[in-house]
Amino acid sequence: MRSGRPDVAAPAEAPGFAARWAALKNLPPFMAMVWRASPGLTLAMILLRLVRAVLPVSMLWIGKLIIDEVVRLGALQTRPEGVSDWWQSGLADYLGLLIAAELGLALASDLIGRLVGYADSLLQERLVISLSVRLMDHAADLDLASFEDAGFQDRLDRARRQTMGRIPLVGQMMQQLQDGVTVASFGAGLIAYNPWLVILLAVALIPTLIGQLHFNAMLYQMNWRRAPERRERDYLRMIGATSESAKEVKIFGLNRFLRDRYRELAERFYAENRAINRRQLAVMAALTGIGTLFYYGAYLWIIARTLTGALSLGDLTFLSGSFLRLRGLIEGLLTSFSDMAGQALYLDDLYRFFDEVPAIASPADALPVPLPIRHGITFEDVGFRYPGAERWAVRHLSFHLRAGETVALVGENGAGKTTIVKLLSRLYDPAEGRILLDGRDLRDYDLDALRAAIGVIFQDFVRYAMSAADNIATGRIEARADRDRIRAAAARALADQVIAKLPEGYDQMVGKRFARGLDLSGGEWQKLAIARAYMRDAQVLVLDEPTAALDARAEFEVFQRFKDLSQGRTALLISHRFSSVRMADRIVVVEDGHVLDEGTHDELVAREGRYRELFDLQAQGYR
């Protein structure tokens, strides 16, 4: 998915002055995002802002007319005595009309201002929802390798911050539009009197703009440079006060270490921020003083022209009011513009994330996954190493998983067992060799259909802070409303016994993150996770050591049921406990990323080899 703008490569260092101006190109696609979030609200905001933009000059001009009319009426030689006489005479009719018009504009300004605030808050909320959903969808399309890369994590962190951090930019851009129209209307009035007034005012404010641009860039460079440290700082703040780490923090006395490391990073940020803000305070105060001198020079010209009779009191009021408002508006416009240029730099972080393209995707002419799988899955001389790693995770790996067969993978830690599962489910693609499903390369099949045909439960499964039913339903989330299917999956995984003890049964919130949540033991969580595999009801079932928290008897029971309930399906089991995997139709021994041996349990134990050595070592622990 593309962002609708020219490609922007990730910079090797923080952007300079030219890049800051170039970043303004990010604003049109950002407004396109705003429009897609809510066309109706966006259009309403633009129209309301345009109407509101012309109200200030209209009110000031009517104020000028009121003053001139009062002066004219006050200069009449024959004037009514009382207020009622003025109205009865008809001399004040025009004045009354002007006052009524000014009152109407004041009421309209207040109403439109409230409508703008209301529409702005709704539009910003719609944009947060739209960007967050888009970020989640795009993240789901990216490769697992991206999430295991520290550089990508920094980019993701910056992009995630932009889904909230750049939301005020919507109001800024709308305000910029409104103020621009207001400035144009005031400027037209000043030009009618003397064009040099506008030029003088604009020149006076240019130094302020340059200074603001400079300091915005410095702050962005600091934030860009410190993204990795900021992630560490936020991690320390989280890990120092969270339920997941509370036990170890207390037992190991980690609080002081975590607190001091957090404080060190936070103080470093604070010191650099303070230094920049001090310089900004001094420089901007000087530049603003220059602008003030120019402003009062123009103001003196207006007063002088009034004293000589070239301008009326109404003209004086209009020009001085216009000049005062224009100074504030232009200064705000320039400051806001420079701030928007800085904000636009941050949008690059969001766009770079959306420009990330997954390497693993479905081919244009993707094949449907065979139903049923007839021949099975074959690894042919497969080699793979993780990005940035020198050591091969698996290499020259060849074995066949026949359709309908239950195979156990065994081997010591680091042998490559989990990598095999990741390759099988196309979380990664091989660097060498190929993996075949019914004789066709996995890369020939539709990716979503392939993953839908494989049910995998990893050892580091997610403990969702959701209801017990939803924890199981994540295995086939589109069937979340099918409570009978959820109950059947729970019964197969022996998770129904766990759920029966919960006060609210399947509707019980599990985990301690939210109110009413009940935490489970490691073994209870694992049974819920295993139920997901049954919920998925896939053609290929994979259990990658998800029973580590179960005792030997419970694991044996789970695996025995898994073997019985996976009849007719292709199943892959990974476990360190040899007493559990012996029930598999075939056992594949993996060492250093390749197949060392294979056979049934009895065959492997009967001959000298790594399997018998490991089996004997484990058996001694139970004697």
Side-chain angles (χ1 to χ4, degrees):
M1 185 182 294
R2 287 288 171 184
S3 59
R5 63 175 194 98
D7 288 343
V8 179
E13 57 183 24
F17 185 81
R20 297 198 300 274
W21 284 103
L24 292 173
K25 296 177 181 178
N26 291 337
L27 296 180
F30 178 73
M31 282 307 299
M33 290 181 182
V34 175
W35 177 265
R36 285 195 298 269
S38 179
L41 282 172
T42 305
L43 183 60
M45 277 289 292
I46 292 173
L47 294 176
L48 287 170
R49 293 276 187 179
L50 288 175
V51 172
R52 197 180 185 196
V54 298
L55 289 177
V57 69
S58 301
M59 293 178 67
L60 196 58
W61 180 256
I62 289 177
K64 164 210 157 17
L65 296 178
I66 289 174
I67 291 173
D68 282 344
E69 183 65 8
V70 169
V71 171
R72 185 186 71 80
L73 293 174
L76 293 175
Q77 293 183 353
T78 305
R79 293 176 295 175
E81 295 293 331
V83 174
S84 59
D85 296 333
W86 274 102
W87 296 119
Q88 289 175 6
S89 69
L91 294 173
D93 287 352
Y94 179 57
L95 179 62
L97 183 63
L98 291 174
I99 293 172
E102 189 176 52
L103 174 62
L105 289 176
L107 293 173
S109 178
D110 181 66
L111 176 61
I112 292 174
R114 295 179 185 279
L115 288 174
V116 164
Y118 172 73
D120 187 56
S121 64
L122 292 182
L123 182 58
Q124 291 189 21
E125 188 68 23
R126 294 304 309 170
L127 183 59
V128 169
I129 295 171
S130 176
L131 287 180
S132 298
V133 168
R134 184 178 172 188
L135 184 141
M136 293 169 70
D137 285 343
H138 191 64
D141 290 337
L142 296 179
D143 301 332
L144 179 63
S146 297
F147 290 90
E148 295 177 347
D149 174 64
F152 172 83
Q153 287 295 331
D154 289 337
R155 293 192 296 277
L156 175 59
D157 179 66
R158 287 193 287 261
R160 188 182 290 115
R161 288 172 182 272
Q162 303 327 310
T163 60
M164 293 291 293
R166 293 318 113 209
I167 297 308
L169 186 57
V170 180
Q172 278 185 301
M173 294 181 70
M174 292 293 185
Q175 187 67 47
Q176 193 87 347
L177 170 66
Q178 176 183 319
D179 289 347
V181 175
T182 304
V183 165
S185 59
F186 273 124
L190 288 180
I191 288 172
Y193 287 94
N194 192 324
W196 284 103
L197 290 174
V198 176
I199 297 172
L200 185 65
L201 188 61
V203 170
L205 294 171
I206 288 175
T208 305
L209 170 64
I210 295 174
Q212 198 68 43
L213 281 171
H214 172 72
F215 286 107
N216 279 346
M218 289 183 67
L219 287 170
Y220 176 77
Q221 288 172 344
M222 184 196 72
N223 287 323
W224 189 94
R225 201 172 54 247
R226 291 201 177 277
E229 289 182 338
R230 184 177 59 238
R231 280 204 303 123
E232 182 183 355
R233 180 198 64 185
D234 293 345
Y235 171 74
L236 290 166
R237 179 169 51 192
M238 181 271 294
I239 205 71
T242 184
S243 59
E244 287 82 0
S245 60
K247 294 191 293 293
E248 289 201 8
V249 169
K250 291 178 181 295
I251 290 172
F252 297 140
L254 299 177
N255 176 65
R256 181 172 297 178
F257 164 73
L258 295 172
R259 180 201 64 197
D260 290 348
R261 177 60 180 157
Y262 166 78
R263 178 177 289 169
E264 177 188 346
L265 292 171
E267 291 289 353
R268 200 181 301 166
F269 271 106
Y270 172 76
E272 191 168 355
N273 261 322
R274 183 179 61 184
I276 294 175
N277 287 329
R278 281 179 175 176
R279 290 175 58 190
Q280 184 176 16
L281 177 63
V283 172
M284 295 307 295
L287 294 177
T288 303
I290 294 172
T292 301
L293 291 175
F294 277 95
Y295 164 72
Y296 273 96
Y299 191 50
L300 288 172
W301 180 87
I302 295 172
I303 293 174
R305 296 283 290 172
T306 305
L307 290 175
T308 59
L311 298 175
S312 68
L313 285 176
D315 293 332
L316 171 65
T317 303
F318 176 76
L319 287 173
S320 61
S322 295
F323 208 84
L324 182 64
R325 293 291 298 273
L326 263 177
R327 183 200 179 200
L329 282 168
I330 293 177
E331 191 174 79
L333 269 173
L334 295 179
T335 301
S336 176
F337 180 76
S338 76
D339 187 50
M340 281 171 54
Q343 298 275 341
L345 283 169
Y346 289 96
L347 286 174
D348 267 343
D349 298 330
L350 188 64
Y351 294 152
R352 284 192 198 102
F353 175 76
F354 287 139
D355 282 342
E356 297 262 355
V357 178
I360 298 176
S362 299
D365 52 349
L367 297 174
V369 173
L371 183 65
I373 295 173
R374 299 187 179 279
H375 304 294
I377 300 165
T378 304
F379 282 69
E380 285 188 352
D381 198 30
V382 169
F384 173 79
R385 57 184 170 191
Y386 290 95
E390 294 183 4
R391 176 179 173 272
W392 289 85
V394 297
R395 199 168 198 197
H396 303 306
L397 176 73
S398 298
F399 73 94
H400 181 60
L401 178 60
R402 291 185 285 271
E405 181 184 33
T406 299
V407 169
L409 282 181
V410 300
E412 296 183 280
N413 288 336
K417 303 185 298 298
T418 297
T419 300
I420 291 172
V421 177
K422 291 178 179 178
L423 292 169
L424 173 61
S425 50
R426 277 206 79 196
L427 294 175
Y428 291 100
D429 280 336
E432 298 176 348
R434 58 181 185 162
I435 305 171
L436 306 178
L437 172 63
D438 277 3
R440 295 297 298 264
D441 196 306
L442 287 185
R443 287 169 282 208
D444 294 338
Y445 292 104
D446 179 80
L447 183 59
D448 291 335
L450 176 67
R451 290 177 178 167
I454 301 174
V456 183
I457 301 298
F458 289 100
Q459 181 177 359
D460 56 346
F461 59 85
V462 179
R463 303 183 181 195
Y464 294 101
M466 301 176 181
S467 69
D470 282 346
N471 262 274
I472 296 172
T474 53
R476 182 72 71 178
I477 198 63
E478 58 269 26
R480 178 173 177 258
D482 190 345
R483 190 54 66 91
D484 289 338
R485 181 170 177 166
I486 292 173
R487 287 195 178 94
R492 290 179 175 185
L494 304 178
D496 56 341
Q497 301 169 12
V498 176
I499 296 171
K501 300 175 185 177
L502 301 177
E504 298 181 39
Y506 285 88
D507 295 320
Q508 177 67 55
M509 181 74 71
V510 291
K512 298 295 290 182
R513 184 175 294 272
F514 302 115
R516 298 189 307 105
L518 292 180
D519 207 4
L520 306 178
S521 69
E524 289 171 332
W525 273 112
Q526 286 188 314
K527 288 179 180 179
L528 286 183
I530 293 169
R532 292 174 200 162
Y534 293 116
M535 180 71 186
R536 194 156 188 78
D537 195 26
Q539 292 195 74
V540 180
L541 296 177
V542 182
L543 295 186
D544 181 12
E545 301 193 61
T547 57
L550 300 177
D551 57 43
R553 180 185 296 275
E555 182 184 53
F556 180 83
E557 211 174 303
V558 167
F559 276 8
Q560 185 64 57
R561 290 177 66 83
F562 183 79
K563 172 96 167 57
D564 295 340
L565 293 168
S566 60
Q567 291 295 327
R569 289 184 173 84
T570 306
L572 189 64
L573 305 178
I574 298 176
S575 175
H576 280 96
R577 292 197 181 108
F578 286 58
S579 58
S580 299
V581 301
R582 64 192 302 170
M583 68 188 68
D585 298 326
R586 187 162 48 95
I587 298 170
V588 176
V589 184
V590 181
E591 184 171 88
D592 294 330
H594 65 276
V595 174
L596 189 66
D597 203 354
E598 61 179 292
T600 65
H601 171 75
D602 292 339
E603 291 171 348
L604 292 172
V605 170
R607 61 177 178 254
E608 292 286 343
R610 190 64 170 157
Y611 182 86
R612 190 168 86 175
E613 177 189 348
L614 294 174
F615 180 79
D616 289 342
L617 284 172
Q618 195 169 103
Q620 288 175 13
Y622 291 97
R623 290 172 186 158

